[in-house]
């Protein structure tokens, strides 16, 4: 029962005459909406990357400060006042552009997130081993 | 069917758009705004809704471009988006259409319908358009895609979400339905 496309002049003429044609060129309107959507998407992507980099960086800093505190007498306050402004500067400089996401932004976020995940995983693993085997526990 | 060269060119354009060159999307808008408009106009039935639905369809295509897999042609994929957008939008407002008794449909011989559509009578065009307007939005879209846009049955199936066999059956029934609507308009003497 294959439908027959050939030899349908009346049907084709009817579809031609009743077919819709846009009254004006819609390209400009569509492209304006596309550009707005693209800009909005870029802003959200950049905000997501910035949040990721900030969170990842803060986790690294927190764990770093905690580690240094275990092996030296430098106070948390002193460490924080030294490293936090530096961290802020790196973030500010990297995310300074308002345009599309740059490779530096992507790299910094990836790097911080990766290190943060590794640090957190090692911390959790260490905590689990301490509970499981009791080694190094101060409660025993 | 799109030629391979055009398919490759469209894939390259998609790659550039996804890499951030959104202005390239104008290539697709320029190439497909008329056929997309014609399809959604056929479904929606008026120009205001058709303009809005055309824009919405392109916006959806732009947003989903990253999920486009070149298993089908870009035009088929875009038509599917436009078809679904228009059908969903008009679902709430669609008018009730009268059905046709199955026995009545079965009583129409294929040759009778074929003879009607093969004729060149310009005076019958208006009547045929009124008959087309009595079809459901899905039926009108299928008619438009297969006959007007000359889309293959496989593409029609992909666009409408039906099986190929189902598309063939529906197209067959649509022809018979149109024939019956036109007979009814002509009055009882035409059935003699």
């Amino acid at each position: 029962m294959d439908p027959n496309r050939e030899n349908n002049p009346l049907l084709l003429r009817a579809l031609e005459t009743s077919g819709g044609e846009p009254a004006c060129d819609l390209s400009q309107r569509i492209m304006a909406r596309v550009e707005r959507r693209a800009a909005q998407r870029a802003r959200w992507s950049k905000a997501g990357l910035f949040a990721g980099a900030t969170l990842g960086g803060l986790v690294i800093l927190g764990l770093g400060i905690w580690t240094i505190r275990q092996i030296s007498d430098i106070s948390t306050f002193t460490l924080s006042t030294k490293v936090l402004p530096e961290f802020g500067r790196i973030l500010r400089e990297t995310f300074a552009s308002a345009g599309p996401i740059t490779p530096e932004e992507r790299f910094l976020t990836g790097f911080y997130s990766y290190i943060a995940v590794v640090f957190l995983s090692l911390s959790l693993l260490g905590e689990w081993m301490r509970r499981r085997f009791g080694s190094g526990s101060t409660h025993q | 069917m799109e030629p391979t060269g055009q398919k490759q060119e469209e894939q390259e354009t998609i790659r550039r758009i996804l890499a951030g060159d959104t202005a390239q999307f104008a290539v697709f808008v320029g190439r497909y705004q008329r056929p997309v408009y014609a399809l959604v106009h056929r479904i929606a039935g008026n120009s205001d809704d058709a303009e809005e639905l055309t824009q919405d369809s392109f916006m959806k295509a732009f947003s989903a471009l990253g999920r486009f897999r070149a298993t089908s042609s870009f035009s088929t994929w875009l038509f599917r988006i436009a078809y679904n957008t228009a059908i969903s939008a008009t679902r709430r407002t669609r008018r009730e259409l009268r059905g046709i008794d199955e026995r009545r449909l079965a009583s129409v011989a294929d040759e009778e319908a074929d003879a009607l559509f093969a004729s060149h009578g310009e005076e019958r065009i208006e009547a045929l358009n009124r008959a087309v307007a009595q079809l459901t939005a899905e039926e009108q879209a299928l008619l438009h895609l297969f006959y007007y846009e000359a889309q293959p049955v496989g593409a029609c199936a992909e666009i409408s979400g039906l099986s190929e066999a189902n598309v063939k059956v529906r197209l067959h029934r649509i022809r018979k339905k149109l024939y019956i609507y036109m007979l009814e308009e002509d009055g009882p003497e035409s059935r003699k």
Side-chain angles (χ1 to χ4, degrees), chain A residues 77-123:
Chain A
F77 178 77
T78 312
L79 278 170
S80 303
T81 51
K82 284 190 190 305
V83 294
L84 277 177
E86 184 61 17
F87 174 61
R89 189 187 61 76
I90 293 172
L91 276 183
R92 250 196 337 270
E93 283 181 5
T94 311
F95 284 89
S97 70
I101 293 164
T102 61
E104 290 78 22
E105 290 166 349
R106 212 181 288 280
F107 173 77
L108 190 77
T109 309
F111 179 72
Y112 278 173
S113 308
Y114 176 75
I115 300 286
V117 167
V118 170
F119 266 28
L120 274 175
S121 307
L122 286 175
S123 305

Side-chain angles (χ1 to χ4, degrees), chain B residues 68-86:
Chain B
F68 172 67
R69 302 284 168 263
T71 47
S72 63
S73 68
F74 180 80
S75 62
T76 303
W77 182 74
L78 182 62
F79 273 138
R80 183 168 169 73
I81 291 174
Y83 176 89
N84 287 331
T85 304

Side-chain angles (χ1 to χ4, degrees), chain A residues 2 5 14 21 25 27 37, chain B residues 33-34 63 129 146 151:
Chain A
D2 274 347
R5 185 183 283 132
E21 278 278 316
D25 186 12
S27 309
R37 174 74 57 87
Chain B
Q33 66 162 310
R34 278 176 188 279
S63 299
N129 273 331
F146 185 74
Q151 292 284 327

Side-chain angles (χ1 to χ4, degrees), chain B:
Chain B
M1 242 350 136
E2 287 171 5
T4 317
Q6 184 175 324
K7 200 170 181 179
Q8 281 175 348
E9 180 231 305
E10 291 192 334
Q11 286 194 347
E12 176 58 22
T13 309
I14 290 170
R15 195 191 58 72
R16 282 195 214 154
I17 296 166
L18 292 176
D21 187 2
T22 44
Q24 288 290 319
F25 195 69
V27 173
F28 293 134
V29 177
R31 188 172 295 165
Y32 296 114
Q33 66 162 310
R34 278 176 188 279
V36 165
Y37 179 91
L39 175 65
V40 297
H41 185 272
R42 181 70 61 190
I43 296 169
N46 68 79
S47 323
D48 289 343
D49 287 345
E51 279 189 12
E52 200 61 40
L53 289 167
T54 303
Q55 293 183 48
D56 289 350
S57 303
F58 276 104
M59 288 310 294
K60 283 184 184 174
F62 176 72
S63 299
L65 207 55
R67 294 197 295 277
F68 172 67
R69 302 284 168 263
T71 47
S72 63
S73 68
F74 180 80
S75 62
T76 303
W77 182 74
L78 182 62
F79 273 138
R80 183 168 169 73
I81 291 174
Y83 176 89
N84 287 331
T85 304
I87 290 288
S88 305
T90 54
R91 193 154 279 158
R92 290 180 299 276
T93 56
R94 199 165 307 155
R95 65 202 184 283
E96 279 296 312
L97 296 156
R98 64 197 174 91
I100 290 183
D101 184 42
E102 282 299 323
R103 278 173 300 182
R104 183 85 199 280
L105 270 182
S107 70
V108 176
D110 290 341
E111 297 74 33
E112 289 177 285
D114 288 346
L116 172 70
F117 298 126
S119 68
H120 286 80
E122 285 284 318
E123 69 285 353
R124 308 300 309 273
I125 287 173
E126 281 302 309
L128 185 51
N129 273 331
R130 283 193 292 277
V132 170
Q134 292 188 63
L135 297 171
T136 65
E138 286 92 341
E139 287 171 336
Q140 288 193 43
L142 216 50
L143 199 67
H144 177 88
L145 287 167
F146 185 74
Y147 290 104
Y148 190 71
E149 292 294 341
Q151 292 284 327
V153 170
C156 291
E158 208 170 312
I159 293 163
S160 60
L162 300 166
S163 67
E164 286 194 22
N166 210 336
V167 167
K168 288 179 186 175
V169 170
R170 285 199 187 203
L171 285 168
H172 197 71
R173 286 167 56 93
I174 288 168
R175 289 172 71 89
K176 288 187 171 186
K177 264 181 158 183
L178 289 174
Y179 177 77
I180 292 171
Y181 288 145
M182 287 188 71
L183 271 192
E184 285 176 353
E185 189 170 297
D186 288 346
E189 63 276 10
S190 67
R191 284 170 234 177
K192 285 173 191 166

